[in-house]
Amino acid sequence: MTTTRRMAVLGAQWGDEGKGKIINYFAPQFDWVVRFSGGPNAGHTIYFQGRKLVHHVLPSIHIESNSRGFLGSAMVLDLEKLEKEVAKFEAEFPGFGARFTIDPDAFLILPWHRQEDELLESRRKNFIGTTKRGIGPAYADKTARRGIRLGDVPRAELRTQLHELYDLKRSLYGEDITGTPAEVESALHREYEALMRFGLSVRSTIELREDFAKSSILYEGAQGMLLDVECGTYPYVTSALCGVAGIHACGFGTMAPTAVHGVIKAYCTRVGEGPFPSELLGEQAERIREAGGEFGATTGRPRRIGWLDLPALRYAALKGAITHWVVTKQDVLNGRGGVSVCVGYEVDGQKVDTPRTPADFQHATPILKELSGWADRSDPSFRKFLDFLVGETGVPCSFVSHGPGTADIAAF
Ligand code: IMP
């Protein structure tokens, strides 16, 4: 394919919106699928020939197309998990690994980062509810200028870098930090070599610039705009850039997306702690959780449930430069008498249509409006719900997904 289309698919709520399926739907039309942020905290679920496949780190390339996957430099990589993921796909789809290239500038998640994540979480008064995959500590070391990159693994300096980092971690956390630098070094070498044997390549965006310049690129977001470290509901966020800033950070600024599809559920979910203004508790939440299978793809945790939150979406659209909505899980709300939507927040006695800062999420009381429920997606009440979403946010809707299968999607 020689078109030059560039498109991003981002989560526009708190992650888990069903991005995997949407990316998989679009992927055959693109030469490259690029993951630009996060790490194994993500879980993108797709169904292929009736089989459920979960990508945590590898971009969700379409198995039957020729698309290739790129893991960008703003990601954090746990080579142990990456090797396992590649091995799993290779066993089912031989030759799969050779379709991926990793940027040598991506930083590594080391075993010490996973230990640190656990330790920090256990010492916090206000839990964040992290996935304990070492994401936060790996990004913290990157920003503190002591991170270790994938490209460092084959270099002799790796040993000194590991020793310095280990000494620091031990001085901070004592014997809770386990695994000597020598053990970590040999594991990194083994995992790196295993990845190379699977055919993955390591090349930067500079080396691949001519290829990218003539290619169509699909940018695969991870987590969601409201978990973005810069503009999400801080501190209850992940440590990565989840929006278009992450695409630029990876060196794709000159190949920026011209369409940004924000994936949203017809309702809302959140895993982990933090503000969730439209949260629904009790039996109603339980029913939606069961109907929607709302349990984390990465940690299996039950997801918190809430009504569609328009103030949050207005905020996400502005911060994330979102040009279209893709609504998922429409079918989960089939057959309900009524459906509520959060149309505004009341913050300190004032009505707020769009949160001004993340603090507004923390102090919001939701203003709810009840709309008619629908029997299925052909019901005019569903059309009214969509029109309401579009009218209230000023963002058009491009697609609606009405089931887990790849074909369960319709253009709007
Ligand atoms: P961390 O990314 O593991 O540091 O977790 C920080 C917060 O982001 C926690 O509330 C997690 O539950 C949430 N989080 C991280 N990754 C995902 C995801 O892929 N989907 C939904 N929530 C996520």
Side-chain angles (χ1 to χ4, degrees), residues 44-103:
H44 294 175
T45 308
I46 57 177
Y47 289 85
F48 176 72
Q49 294 174 347
R51 268 174 298 173
K52 181 178 173 178
L53 306 170
V54 184
H55 292 241
H56 293 286
V57 193
L58 293 172
S60 309
I61 59 169
H62 193 272
I63 288 166
E64 283 178 324
S65 78
N66 293 323
S67 56
R68 285 176 289 163
F70 187 75
L71 288 79
S73 61
M75 289 186 75
V76 281
L77 302 176
D78 184 329
L79 296 193
E80 189 185 323
K81 292 211 159 51
L82 180 56
E83 185 199 336
K84 283 197 184 128
E85 189 166 324
V86 177
K88 204 165 143 214
F89 277 99
E90 269 289 327
E92 282 200 69
F93 311 104
F96 194 71
R99 293 171 65 183
F100 295 92
T101 303
I102 319 178
D103 195 315

Short mmCIF file of all heavy atoms in Angstrom, two decimals, residues 44-103:
data_model
loop_
_atom_site.label_atom_id
_atom_site.label_comp_id
_atom_site.label_asym_id
_atom_site.label_seq_id
_atom_site.Cartn_x
_atom_site.Cartn_y
_atom_site.Cartn_z
N HIS A 44 -4.83 -5.25 25.00
CA HIS A 44 -5.70 -5.01 23.85
C HIS A 44 -6.23 -6.36 23.34
O HIS A 44 -5.46 -7.19 22.86
CB HIS A 44 -4.96 -4.25 22.76
CG HIS A 44 -4.60 -2.86 23.19
ND1 HIS A 44 -3.85 -1.99 22.45
CD2 HIS A 44 -4.93 -2.17 24.32
CE1 HIS A 44 -3.73 -0.85 23.10
NE2 HIS A 44 -4.36 -0.94 24.24
N THR A 45 -7.53 -6.53 23.47
CA THR A 45 -8.13 -7.83 23.14
C THR A 45 -8.71 -7.80 21.74
O THR A 45 -9.45 -6.88 21.39
CB THR A 45 -9.27 -8.13 24.15
OG1 THR A 45 -8.74 -8.00 25.46
CG2 THR A 45 -9.82 -9.53 23.95
N ILE A 46 -8.36 -8.81 20.95
CA ILE A 46 -8.98 -8.94 19.62
C ILE A 46 -9.44 -10.39 19.44
O ILE A 46 -8.93 -11.29 20.10
CB ILE A 46 -8.03 -8.52 18.49
CG1 ILE A 46 -6.74 -9.33 18.51
CG2 ILE A 46 -7.69 -7.05 18.55
CD1 ILE A 46 -5.81 -9.01 17.38
N TYR A 47 -10.40 -10.57 18.58
CA TYR A 47 -10.87 -11.92 18.27
C TYR A 47 -10.50 -12.22 16.83
O TYR A 47 -10.78 -11.42 15.93
CB TYR A 47 -12.39 -12.01 18.47
CG TYR A 47 -12.75 -11.98 19.95
CD1 TYR A 47 -12.90 -10.76 20.61
CD2 TYR A 47 -12.88 -13.15 20.68
CE1 TYR A 47 -13.18 -10.72 21.97
CE2 TYR A 47 -13.17 -13.12 22.04
CZ TYR A 47 -13.31 -11.91 22.67
OH TYR A 47 -13.58 -11.87 24.03
N PHE A 48 -9.82 -13.34 16.63
CA PHE A 48 -9.41 -13.73 15.27
C PHE A 48 -9.84 -15.17 15.06
O PHE A 48 -9.44 -16.06 15.82
CB PHE A 48 -7.89 -13.58 15.12
CG PHE A 48 -7.37 -14.05 13.80
CD1 PHE A 48 -7.62 -13.32 12.64
CD2 PHE A 48 -6.66 -15.23 13.70
CE1 PHE A 48 -7.16 -13.76 11.41
CE2 PHE A 48 -6.18 -15.67 12.47
CZ PHE A 48 -6.44 -14.94 11.32
N GLN A 49 -10.65 -15.38 14.06
CA GLN A 49 -11.19 -16.72 13.76
C GLN A 49 -11.71 -17.39 15.03
O GLN A 49 -11.36 -18.54 15.34
CB GLN A 49 -10.13 -17.58 13.07
CG GLN A 49 -9.77 -17.03 11.70
CD GLN A 49 -8.63 -17.78 11.03
OE1 GLN A 49 -7.92 -18.57 11.65
NE2 GLN A 49 -8.43 -17.50 9.74
N GLY A 50 -12.49 -16.63 15.78
CA GLY A 50 -13.11 -17.16 16.99
C GLY A 50 -12.18 -17.28 18.19
O GLY A 50 -12.61 -17.66 19.27
N ARG A 51 -10.89 -16.95 18.00
CA ARG A 51 -9.96 -17.05 19.12
C ARG A 51 -9.74 -15.69 19.77
O ARG A 51 -9.66 -14.69 19.06
CB ARG A 51 -8.61 -17.58 18.63
CG ARG A 51 -8.54 -19.10 18.75
CD ARG A 51 -7.29 -19.64 18.14
NE ARG A 51 -7.24 -19.35 16.71
CZ ARG A 51 -6.21 -19.60 15.94
NH1 ARG A 51 -5.12 -20.08 16.45
NH2 ARG A 51 -6.25 -19.33 14.64
N LYS A 52 -9.61 -15.69 21.09
CA LYS A 52 -9.38 -14.44 21.81
C LYS A 52 -7.87 -14.24 21.92
O LYS A 52 -7.17 -15.09 22.46
CB LYS A 52 -10.01 -14.55 23.19
CG LYS A 52 -9.86 -13.31 24.03
CD LYS A 52 -10.56 -13.49 25.36
CE LYS A 52 -10.27 -12.31 26.26
NZ LYS A 52 -10.95 -12.40 27.55
N LEU A 53 -7.38 -13.11 21.42
CA LEU A 53 -5.94 -12.83 21.49
C LEU A 53 -5.75 -11.53 22.26
O LEU A 53 -6.43 -10.54 21.98
CB LEU A 53 -5.36 -12.66 20.08
CG LEU A 53 -5.61 -13.82 19.09
CD1 LEU A 53 -5.19 -13.41 17.69
CD2 LEU A 53 -4.84 -15.06 19.53
N VAL A 54 -4.84 -11.56 23.21
CA VAL A 54 -4.61 -10.32 23.99
C VAL A 54 -3.18 -9.84 23.75
O VAL A 54 -2.22 -10.58 23.97
CB VAL A 54 -4.84 -10.56 25.50
CG1 VAL A 54 -4.69 -9.25 26.27
CG2 VAL A 54 -6.22 -11.14 25.75
N HIS A 55 -3.07 -8.62 23.25
CA HIS A 55 -1.76 -7.99 23.08
C HIS A 55 -1.52 -7.10 24.29
O HIS A 55 -2.35 -6.26 24.61
CB HIS A 55 -1.75 -7.06 21.85
CG HIS A 55 -1.88 -7.76 20.54
ND1 HIS A 55 -0.89 -7.69 19.59
CD2 HIS A 55 -2.86 -8.51 20.01
CE1 HIS A 55 -1.27 -8.37 18.52
NE2 HIS A 55 -2.47 -8.88 18.75
N HIS A 56 -0.38 -7.29 24.94
CA HIS A 56 -0.03 -6.37 26.03
C HIS A 56 1.00 -5.35 25.55
O HIS A 56 0.94 -4.18 25.91
CB HIS A 56 0.50 -7.15 27.23
CG HIS A 56 -0.56 -8.00 27.87
ND1 HIS A 56 -1.56 -7.48 28.63
CD2 HIS A 56 -0.78 -9.34 27.83
CE1 HIS A 56 -2.36 -8.44 29.05
NE2 HIS A 56 -1.91 -9.58 28.57
N VAL A 57 1.95 -5.80 24.77
CA VAL A 57 3.05 -4.93 24.35
C VAL A 57 3.12 -4.81 22.83
O VAL A 57 3.39 -3.72 22.30
CB VAL A 57 4.41 -5.48 24.87
CG1 VAL A 57 5.49 -4.42 24.71
CG2 VAL A 57 4.32 -5.90 26.31
N LEU A 58 2.89 -5.91 22.14
CA LEU A 58 3.01 -5.86 20.67
C LEU A 58 1.86 -5.08 20.07
O LEU A 58 0.71 -5.27 20.48
CB LEU A 58 2.97 -7.29 20.11
CG LEU A 58 4.16 -8.18 20.47
CD1 LEU A 58 3.88 -9.63 20.03
CD2 LEU A 58 5.43 -7.66 19.82
N PRO A 59 2.14 -4.22 19.10
CA PRO A 59 1.06 -3.52 18.41
C PRO A 59 0.07 -4.53 17.81
O PRO A 59 0.46 -5.63 17.40
CB PRO A 59 1.78 -2.74 17.32
CG PRO A 59 3.19 -2.62 17.80
CD PRO A 59 3.46 -3.83 18.62
N SER A 60 -1.20 -4.12 17.76
CA SER A 60 -2.26 -5.04 17.31
C SER A 60 -2.32 -5.10 15.79
O SER A 60 -3.32 -4.70 15.18
CB SER A 60 -3.61 -4.61 17.87
OG SER A 60 -3.54 -4.41 19.25
N ILE A 61 -1.28 -5.62 15.17
CA ILE A 61 -1.30 -5.75 13.70
C ILE A 61 -2.34 -6.81 13.32
O ILE A 61 -2.63 -7.71 14.10
CB ILE A 61 0.07 -6.15 13.11
CG1 ILE A 61 0.55 -7.49 13.70
CG2 ILE A 61 1.11 -5.07 13.31
CD1 ILE A 61 1.76 -8.06 12.98
N HIS A 62 -2.87 -6.67 12.12
CA HIS A 62 -3.88 -7.62 11.66
C HIS A 62 -3.15 -8.87 11.17
O HIS A 62 -2.24 -8.78 10.32
CB HIS A 62 -4.71 -7.00 10.54
CG HIS A 62 -5.93 -7.78 10.25
ND1 HIS A 62 -5.95 -8.81 9.35
CD2 HIS A 62 -7.18 -7.69 10.77
CE1 HIS A 62 -7.17 -9.32 9.32
NE2 HIS A 62 -7.93 -8.67 10.16
N ILE A 63 -3.54 -10.02 11.69
CA ILE A 63 -2.77 -11.24 11.42
C ILE A 63 -2.71 -11.59 9.93
O ILE A 63 -1.67 -11.97 9.41
CB ILE A 63 -3.33 -12.40 12.27
CG1 ILE A 63 -2.90 -12.11 13.71
CG2 ILE A 63 -2.79 -13.76 11.82
CD1 ILE A 63 -3.56 -12.87 14.76
N GLU A 64 -3.83 -11.39 9.24
CA GLU A 64 -3.85 -11.81 7.84
C GLU A 64 -3.39 -10.75 6.85
O GLU A 64 -3.33 -11.00 5.66
CB GLU A 64 -5.27 -12.24 7.46
CG GLU A 64 -5.59 -13.63 8.00
CD GLU A 64 -6.99 -14.05 7.69
OE1 GLU A 64 -7.89 -13.20 7.72
OE2 GLU A 64 -7.18 -15.24 7.41
N SER A 65 -3.09 -9.55 7.32
CA SER A 65 -2.65 -8.52 6.38
C SER A 65 -1.12 -8.48 6.38
O SER A 65 -0.46 -9.27 7.05
CB SER A 65 -3.20 -7.15 6.78
OG SER A 65 -2.44 -6.65 7.84
N ASN A 66 -0.56 -7.53 5.63
CA ASN A 66 0.91 -7.41 5.61
C ASN A 66 1.42 -6.34 6.56
O ASN A 66 2.58 -5.97 6.49
CB ASN A 66 1.38 -7.07 4.19
CG ASN A 66 1.11 -8.22 3.25
OD1 ASN A 66 1.25 -9.37 3.64
ND2 ASN A 66 0.70 -7.91 2.02
N SER A 67 0.51 -5.79 7.38
CA SER A 67 0.95 -4.67 8.22
C SER A 67 2.07 -5.12 9.16
O SER A 67 2.13 -6.28 9.60
CB SER A 67 -0.22 -4.11 9.02
OG SER A 67 -0.82 -5.12 9.79
N ARG A 68 2.95 -4.16 9.45
CA ARG A 68 4.06 -4.41 10.38
C ARG A 68 3.86 -3.57 11.64
O ARG A 68 3.15 -2.56 11.60
CB ARG A 68 5.39 -4.04 9.71
CG ARG A 68 5.83 -5.06 8.68
CD ARG A 68 7.08 -4.62 7.97
NE ARG A 68 6.83 -3.51 7.08
CZ ARG A 68 7.79 -2.73 6.59
NH1 ARG A 68 9.06 -2.94 6.90
NH2 ARG A 68 7.50 -1.74 5.77
N GLY A 69 4.49 -3.97 12.71
CA GLY A 69 4.31 -3.26 13.97
C GLY A 69 5.61 -2.60 14.42
O GLY A 69 6.69 -3.17 14.28
N PHE A 70 5.47 -1.38 14.97
CA PHE A 70 6.63 -0.65 15.49
C PHE A 70 6.37 -0.30 16.95
O PHE A 70 5.30 0.19 17.29
CB PHE A 70 6.86 0.62 14.67
CG PHE A 70 8.12 1.35 15.03
CD1 PHE A 70 9.36 0.87 14.62
CD2 PHE A 70 8.08 2.52 15.78
CE1 PHE A 70 10.55 1.54 14.96
CE2 PHE A 70 9.25 3.20 16.12
CZ PHE A 70 10.48 2.71 15.70
N LEU A 71 7.38 -0.56 17.79
CA LEU A 71 7.28 -0.23 19.22
C LEU A 71 8.13 1.01 19.45
O LEU A 71 9.36 0.96 19.35
CB LEU A 71 7.77 -1.40 20.08
CG LEU A 71 6.84 -2.63 20.12
CD1 LEU A 71 6.99 -3.50 18.87
CD2 LEU A 71 7.14 -3.48 21.35
N GLY A 72 7.46 2.12 19.72
CA GLY A 72 8.11 3.42 19.74
C GLY A 72 8.90 3.70 21.01
O GLY A 72 8.76 3.01 22.04
N SER A 73 9.73 4.74 20.91
CA SER A 73 10.68 5.03 21.99
C SER A 73 10.02 5.55 23.26
O SER A 73 10.66 5.54 24.32
CB SER A 73 11.70 6.06 21.50
OG SER A 73 11.04 7.25 21.15
N ALA A 74 8.77 6.00 23.21
CA ALA A 74 8.13 6.48 24.44
C ALA A 74 7.44 5.35 25.20
O ALA A 74 6.79 5.58 26.21
CB ALA A 74 7.15 7.61 24.13
N MET A 75 7.63 4.11 24.71
CA MET A 75 7.13 2.96 25.46
C MET A 75 8.15 2.55 26.53
O MET A 75 9.32 2.94 26.45
CB MET A 75 6.95 1.75 24.53
CG MET A 75 5.81 1.86 23.56
SD MET A 75 5.61 0.30 22.64
CE MET A 75 4.86 -0.76 23.88
N VAL A 76 7.73 1.76 27.49
CA VAL A 76 8.68 1.11 28.40
C VAL A 76 8.51 -0.39 28.24
O VAL A 76 7.38 -0.89 28.24
CB VAL A 76 8.50 1.55 29.88
CG1 VAL A 76 9.12 2.92 30.11
CG2 VAL A 76 7.04 1.56 30.30
N LEU A 77 9.65 -1.09 28.08
CA LEU A 77 9.59 -2.50 27.68
C LEU A 77 10.13 -3.41 28.76
O LEU A 77 11.24 -3.20 29.26
CB LEU A 77 10.42 -2.71 26.41
CG LEU A 77 10.00 -1.88 25.21
CD1 LEU A 77 10.98 -2.12 24.06
CD2 LEU A 77 8.59 -2.23 24.77
N ASP A 78 9.34 -4.42 29.08
CA ASP A 78 9.80 -5.47 29.98
C ASP A 78 10.15 -6.65 29.07
O ASP A 78 9.26 -7.32 28.53
CB ASP A 78 8.64 -5.82 30.92
CG ASP A 78 9.02 -6.85 31.96
OD1 ASP A 78 9.88 -7.71 31.65
OD2 ASP A 78 8.47 -6.81 33.06
N LEU A 79 11.45 -6.88 28.85
CA LEU A 79 11.86 -7.88 27.85
C LEU A 79 11.39 -9.29 28.19
O LEU A 79 11.11 -10.08 27.30
CB LEU A 79 13.38 -7.85 27.66
CG LEU A 79 13.98 -6.56 27.09
CD1 LEU A 79 15.42 -6.80 26.67
CD2 LEU A 79 13.16 -6.00 25.93
N GLU A 80 11.29 -9.56 29.49
CA GLU A 80 10.82 -10.89 29.89
C GLU A 80 9.39 -11.11 29.40
O GLU A 80 9.05 -12.12 28.80
CB GLU A 80 10.89 -10.98 31.42
CG GLU A 80 10.64 -12.36 31.96
CD GLU A 80 10.59 -12.34 33.50
OE1 GLU A 80 11.35 -11.59 34.14
OE2 GLU A 80 9.78 -13.10 34.05
N LYS A 81 8.55 -10.09 29.62
CA LYS A 81 7.14 -10.20 29.20
C LYS A 81 7.03 -10.15 27.68
O LYS A 81 6.21 -10.84 27.09
CB LYS A 81 6.34 -9.06 29.82
CG LYS A 81 6.19 -9.17 31.31
CD LYS A 81 4.89 -8.57 31.79
CE LYS A 81 4.47 -9.10 33.14
NZ LYS A 81 5.50 -9.03 34.17
N LEU A 82 7.86 -9.33 27.08
CA LEU A 82 7.81 -9.22 25.61
C LEU A 82 8.18 -10.55 24.97
O LEU A 82 7.51 -11.02 24.03
CB LEU A 82 8.75 -8.10 25.14
CG LEU A 82 8.82 -7.86 23.64
CD1 LEU A 82 7.45 -7.57 23.05
CD2 LEU A 82 9.77 -6.67 23.33
N GLU A 83 9.22 -11.18 25.49
CA GLU A 83 9.64 -12.47 24.94
C GLU A 83 8.50 -13.49 25.05
O GLU A 83 8.20 -14.22 24.10
CB GLU A 83 10.89 -12.99 25.69
CG GLU A 83 11.43 -14.26 25.09
CD GLU A 83 12.34 -15.05 26.02
OE1 GLU A 83 12.92 -14.46 26.94
OE2 GLU A 83 12.44 -16.27 25.81
N LYS A 84 7.84 -13.51 26.22
CA LYS A 84 6.73 -14.47 26.41
C LYS A 84 5.61 -14.20 25.43
O LYS A 84 5.01 -15.11 24.86
CB LYS A 84 6.20 -14.38 27.84
CG LYS A 84 7.10 -15.06 28.84
CD LYS A 84 6.38 -15.32 30.15
CE LYS A 84 7.34 -15.91 31.16
NZ LYS A 84 7.38 -15.23 32.42
N GLU A 85 5.32 -12.91 25.24
CA GLU A 85 4.21 -12.56 24.34
C GLU A 85 4.54 -12.98 22.90
O GLU A 85 3.71 -13.56 22.21
CB GLU A 85 3.93 -11.06 24.43
CG GLU A 85 2.67 -10.65 23.69
CD GLU A 85 2.21 -9.24 24.05
OE1 GLU A 85 2.36 -8.83 25.23
OE2 GLU A 85 1.70 -8.55 23.16
N VAL A 86 5.76 -12.70 22.48
CA VAL A 86 6.15 -13.08 21.11
C VAL A 86 6.10 -14.60 20.97
O VAL A 86 5.58 -15.12 19.98
CB VAL A 86 7.56 -12.54 20.75
CG1 VAL A 86 7.97 -13.00 19.37
CG2 VAL A 86 7.60 -11.01 20.81
N ALA A 87 6.62 -15.31 21.99
CA ALA A 87 6.64 -16.78 21.92
C ALA A 87 5.23 -17.33 21.77
O ALA A 87 4.99 -18.26 20.99
CB ALA A 87 7.32 -17.35 23.16
N LYS A 88 4.29 -16.73 22.49
CA LYS A 88 2.90 -17.20 22.45
C LYS A 88 2.32 -17.03 21.04
O LYS A 88 1.71 -17.94 20.48
CB LYS A 88 2.10 -16.39 23.46
CG LYS A 88 0.87 -17.09 23.94
CD LYS A 88 0.33 -16.42 25.18
CE LYS A 88 -1.18 -16.47 25.07
NZ LYS A 88 -1.86 -15.37 25.62
N PHE A 89 2.54 -15.86 20.47
CA PHE A 89 2.01 -15.61 19.11
C PHE A 89 2.74 -16.47 18.08
O PHE A 89 2.13 -16.98 17.15
CB PHE A 89 2.12 -14.13 18.75
CG PHE A 89 0.97 -13.31 19.29
CD1 PHE A 89 1.10 -12.59 20.46
CD2 PHE A 89 -0.24 -13.28 18.62
CE1 PHE A 89 0.04 -11.84 20.96
CE2 PHE A 89 -1.31 -12.54 19.11
CZ PHE A 89 -1.18 -11.82 20.29
N GLU A 90 4.06 -16.62 18.26
CA GLU A 90 4.85 -17.41 17.30
C GLU A 90 4.34 -18.85 17.24
O GLU A 90 4.32 -19.47 16.18
CB GLU A 90 6.32 -17.43 17.71
CG GLU A 90 7.15 -16.32 17.12
CD GLU A 90 7.39 -16.48 15.62
OE1 GLU A 90 7.51 -17.60 15.14
OE2 GLU A 90 7.46 -15.43 14.95
N ALA A 91 3.97 -19.38 18.43
CA ALA A 91 3.52 -20.77 18.48
C ALA A 91 2.27 -20.96 17.61
O ALA A 91 2.09 -21.98 16.97
CB ALA A 91 3.24 -21.18 19.92
N GLU A 92 1.42 -19.92 17.60
CA GLU A 92 0.18 -20.02 16.81
C GLU A 92 0.35 -19.53 15.39
O GLU A 92 -0.29 -20.02 14.47
CB GLU A 92 -0.92 -19.19 17.49
CG GLU A 92 -1.54 -19.86 18.66
CD GLU A 92 -2.90 -19.26 18.99
OE1 GLU A 92 -3.85 -19.43 18.21
OE2 GLU A 92 -2.98 -18.56 20.02
N PHE A 93 1.17 -18.51 15.24
CA PHE A 93 1.33 -17.87 13.92
C PHE A 93 2.82 -17.74 13.61
O PHE A 93 3.42 -16.68 13.81
CB PHE A 93 0.68 -16.47 13.91
CG PHE A 93 -0.72 -16.46 14.45
CD1 PHE A 93 -0.99 -15.95 15.72
CD2 PHE A 93 -1.78 -16.97 13.71
CE1 PHE A 93 -2.28 -15.96 16.24
CE2 PHE A 93 -3.07 -16.98 14.22
CZ PHE A 93 -3.32 -16.47 15.49
N PRO A 94 3.45 -18.80 13.11
CA PRO A 94 4.90 -18.74 12.87
C PRO A 94 5.26 -17.58 11.93
O PRO A 94 4.53 -17.30 10.98
CB PRO A 94 5.21 -20.10 12.22
CG PRO A 94 4.08 -20.99 12.62
CD PRO A 94 2.87 -20.11 12.77
N GLY A 95 6.33 -16.90 12.26
CA GLY A 95 6.77 -15.76 11.44
C GLY A 95 6.22 -14.43 11.95
O GLY A 95 6.55 -13.36 11.43
N PHE A 96 5.39 -14.51 13.00
CA PHE A 96 4.74 -13.29 13.53
C PHE A 96 5.78 -12.30 14.04
O PHE A 96 5.71 -11.11 13.78
CB PHE A 96 3.80 -13.72 14.66
CG PHE A 96 2.82 -12.67 15.10
CD1 PHE A 96 1.77 -12.31 14.28
CD2 PHE A 96 2.94 -12.06 16.35
CE1 PHE A 96 0.84 -11.36 14.69
CE2 PHE A 96 2.02 -11.10 16.76
CZ PHE A 96 0.97 -10.76 15.93
N GLY A 97 6.79 -12.81 14.78
CA GLY A 97 7.78 -11.94 15.41
C GLY A 97 8.53 -11.07 14.42
O GLY A 97 8.87 -9.91 14.71
N ALA A 98 8.78 -11.63 13.24
CA ALA A 98 9.58 -10.89 12.25
C ALA A 98 8.84 -9.68 11.69
O ALA A 98 9.42 -8.88 10.96
CB ALA A 98 9.96 -11.84 11.11
N ARG A 99 7.58 -9.53 12.07
CA ARG A 99 6.82 -8.37 11.58
C ARG A 99 6.95 -7.15 12.49
O ARG A 99 6.30 -6.13 12.28
CB ARG A 99 5.34 -8.77 11.42
CG ARG A 99 5.17 -9.81 10.29
CD ARG A 99 3.78 -10.38 10.24
NE ARG A 99 2.77 -9.39 9.90
CZ ARG A 99 1.47 -9.65 9.86
NH1 ARG A 99 1.03 -10.85 10.12
NH2 ARG A 99 0.60 -8.69 9.56
N PHE A 100 7.81 -7.26 13.52
CA PHE A 100 7.91 -6.16 14.49
C PHE A 100 9.32 -5.56 14.55
O PHE A 100 10.31 -6.28 14.46
CB PHE A 100 7.53 -6.65 15.89
CG PHE A 100 6.09 -7.05 15.97
CD1 PHE A 100 5.71 -8.36 15.73
CD2 PHE A 100 5.10 -6.11 16.23
CE1 PHE A 100 4.37 -8.73 15.76
CE2 PHE A 100 3.77 -6.46 16.26
CZ PHE A 100 3.40 -7.78 16.03
N THR A 101 9.34 -4.25 14.70
CA THR A 101 10.59 -3.52 14.89
C THR A 101 10.47 -2.71 16.17
O THR A 101 9.40 -2.14 16.44
CB THR A 101 10.84 -2.58 13.69
OG1 THR A 101 10.83 -3.35 12.50
CG2 THR A 101 12.16 -1.84 13.82
N ILE A 102 11.55 -2.68 16.93
CA ILE A 102 11.53 -1.91 18.19
C ILE A 102 12.53 -0.77 18.08
O ILE A 102 13.66 -0.97 17.59
CB ILE A 102 11.94 -2.78 19.40
CG1 ILE A 102 11.32 -4.17 19.32
CG2 ILE A 102 11.56 -2.09 20.70
CD1 ILE A 102 11.72 -5.09 20.46
N ASP A 103 12.14 0.38 18.59
CA ASP A 103 13.07 1.52 18.62
C ASP A 103 14.10 1.28 19.73
O ASP A 103 13.72 1.02 20.89
CB ASP A 103 12.27 2.80 18.89
CG ASP A 103 13.10 4.04 18.58
OD1 ASP A 103 14.28 4.09 18.98
OD2 ASP A 103 12.57 4.97 17.95
#
